[in-house]
């Protein structure tokens, strides 16, 4: 059996396909979708933004980022519903365990959904020993663009030295050494 299309059928088919693609790609998504687009890196981070950022722990205690000045800070923005976030958590836990006795390196796991009860249960269920926080205000774009997971590493002066979007294996010796080098000022 042979099917023949005339030029009019092909034209309307292409118009319908193009329209569907055009409107389908503009979907802003829901909170359960992980966006994978790359966000431009900031040219320079202003000190006041870094100083104003605060996090809240499960007990409701607020930790201003300025209180961590003098320490290297590893901040991971994540969510319990995010597969790439979940994928990298074991390696972050491994990295933290290997640096647990290093007094100048601090880890903050920030649940972007702000549901600390749910994320605490998730951490306990998976036996992760990671310090859990939620943002105590807006998170500046220099820290968190439009995708998670995002990891930000601050030097002892509170300046961003690295901002990584997407899932990574943080259990490598290279990453451990890099954090130790930042802490020692190398």
């Amino acid at each position: 059996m042979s099917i023949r299309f005339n030029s009019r059928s092909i034209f309307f088919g292409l118009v319908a396909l193009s329209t569907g693609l055009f409107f389908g790609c503009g979907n802003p998504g829901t909170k359960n979708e992980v966006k994978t687009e790359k966000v431009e890196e900031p040219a320079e981070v202003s000190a006041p933004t870094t100083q104003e950022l605060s996090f809240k722990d499960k007990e409701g205690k607020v930790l201003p980022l300025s209180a961590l000045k003098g320490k290297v800070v590893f901040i991971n923005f994540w969510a319990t519903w995010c597969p790439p976030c979940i994928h990298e958590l074991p390696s972050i836990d491994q990295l933290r365990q290997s640096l647990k006795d290093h007094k100048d390196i601090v880890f903050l796991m920030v649940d972007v959904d702000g549901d600390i009860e749910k994320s605490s249960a998730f951490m306990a269920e998976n036996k992760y020993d990671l310090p859990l926080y939620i943002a105590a205000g807006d998170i500046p774009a220099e820290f968190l663009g439009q995708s998670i997971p995002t990891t930000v590493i601050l030097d002892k002066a509170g300046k961003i030295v690295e901002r990584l979007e997407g899932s990574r294996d943080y259990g490598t010796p290279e990453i451990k050494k890099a954090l130790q080098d930042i802490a020692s000022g190398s």
Side-chain angles (χ1 to χ4, degrees):
M1 177 174 176
S2 173
I3 299 175
R4 298 185 64 182
F5 295 103
N6 64 28
S7 60
R8 188 177 204 161
S9 298
I10 293 172
F11 173 77
F12 284 115
L14 289 174
V15 167
L17 180 63
S18 298
T19 303
L21 288 174
F22 177 77
F23 288 110
C25 292
N27 181 2
T30 65
K31 76 175 190 176
N32 291 344
E33 292 177 356
V34 177
K35 295 185 180 188
T36 57
E37 61 192 52
K38 181 69 177 164
V39 177
E40 288 289 319
E41 295 295 322
E44 193 172 315
V45 178
S46 62
T49 303
T50 308
Q51 301 305 317
E52 295 167 10
L53 186 56
S54 295
F55 303 100
K56 195 182 312 182
D57 67 13
K58 189 175 180 181
E59 286 75 40
K61 217 165 101 179
V62 175
L63 174 66
L65 200 51
S66 59
L68 298 175
K69 206 163 197 172
K71 299 190 181 293
V72 173
V73 184
F74 179 102
I75 307 170
N76 181 264
F77 296 98
W78 71 290
T80 58
W81 49 262
C82 165
C85 300
I86 293 166
H87 181 261
E88 74 179 5
L89 283 175
S91 69
I92 295 172
D93 190 56
Q94 177 187 354
L95 176 63
R96 180 169 183 268
Q97 294 310 313
S98 73
L99 293 168
K100 201 170 192 173
D101 296 328
H102 203 297
K103 304 291 183 218
D104 289 334
I105 301 174
V106 177
F107 286 75
L108 306 176
M109 301 300 294
V110 181
D111 175 9
V112 297
D113 285 336
D115 189 345
I116 201 152
E117 294 300 324
K118 182 178 180 180
S119 53
S120 292
F122 178 89
M123 289 288 187
E125 179 183 320
N126 289 286
K127 297 177 176 61
Y128 296 132
D129 183 26
L130 296 166
L132 188 58
Y133 294 86
I134 58 172
D138 292 335
I139 302 170
E142 302 88 83
F143 284 80
L144 180 62
Q146 297 193 9
S147 69
I148 57 171
T150 294
T151 298
V152 175
I153 299 171
L154 306 176
D155 66 12
K156 289 183 171 186
K159 289 175 51 180
I160 294 175
V161 292
E162 194 69 57
R163 180 171 174 255
L164 306 163
E165 292 185 350
S167 185
R168 303 252 185 307
D169 177 3
Y170 289 102
T172 66
E174 294 82 16
I175 292 179
K176 179 180 177 181
K177 183 177 179 343
L179 287 173
Q180 291 171 321
D181 287 350
I182 296 167
S184 69
S186 300

